[in-house]
Amino acid sequence: YDNGGADTAINGINVDAFAGITRVYSPQFVIAPPLYETWVNVINGNQDSEAIVTLTLRSPAGETLSHPVTRMLPRNAQWKGNLWDIFQNDPGLLGRTGWLEVSSSTDYIVGTLSFTDKNNDLNHKFLASFQLSGIPLSHFLFPFVSENEMYETAIALLNAGDQPASARLELWGPLGTLEAVATVALVPGARTAQSLSGFFPAIGFFGAGNVRVQSSQPLHSSGFMYDRELRFMSPLPPVPYPGE
């Protein structure tokens, strides 16, 4: 996708993988007009039924931030827009961040979330999109992370389940050495989002490596790498790996 400014790409979504799934999530959103925007794109992939779809914005602790918004989507219909506009420019959302829940009356609901900067004349500096998460993971990794004088990496972890989760994060170097370990506790409905140095404060600059996550409960997650002046942003989707 080329909007005349920043470029972005996303793989096709395997709709069949969302059979039986009626809730999908983004572990991160930000509403900070006019500088930054979060766009949601939801599609009813169910070929047998219309879908009643509800968007709910929640704080990092899981509290509802604004009155949920509901729309009926016929088969194959799409709901796309800036979250700030979808929630009717609710002033209580200004400057807020947290996680997004998309619930549906039927399964096969799929979509993406996109982060971008102000789009005067479609001249974005950055545009990054990732697939809304329907299947949480207990063992997963982010295969490339970096944090130095030019780049930062941010990771968001969401516990959308009904049991507390304890997650172990491991930072591995490119030669297979374990460089740092962190533990994160997440109560049901809670989300944490930090930079690499936030999770591992003792690492200083870290050229390249990967982060592995092992959680006692399945988590939804997303990651991003960006330069410190936000001229570039790339999504880092989690990759599942075998558990113990």
Side-chain angles (χ1 to χ4, degrees), residues 142 145 147 155 167-184 195-214 241:
F142 296 95
V145 298
E147 188 137 321
I155 293 173
R168 174 184 167 94
L169 283 71
E170 300 175 346
L171 179 64
W172 289 79
L175 298 179
T177 55
L178 180 59
E179 302 292 336
V181 175
T183 302
V184 175
S195 67
L196 206 61
S197 58
F199 285 115
F200 308 104
I203 63 169
F205 284 160
F206 186 81
N210 66 86
V211 169
R212 305 179 191 185
V213 181
Q214 303 174 54
Y241 76 93

Side-chain angles (χ1 to χ4, degrees), residues 150-175:
M150 293 183 61
Y151 297 106
E152 284 187 290
T153 300
I155 293 173
L157 304 172
L158 165 63
N159 178 14
D162 57 6
Q163 297 294 322
S166 176
R168 174 184 167 94
L169 283 71
E170 300 175 346
L171 179 64
W172 289 79
L175 298 179

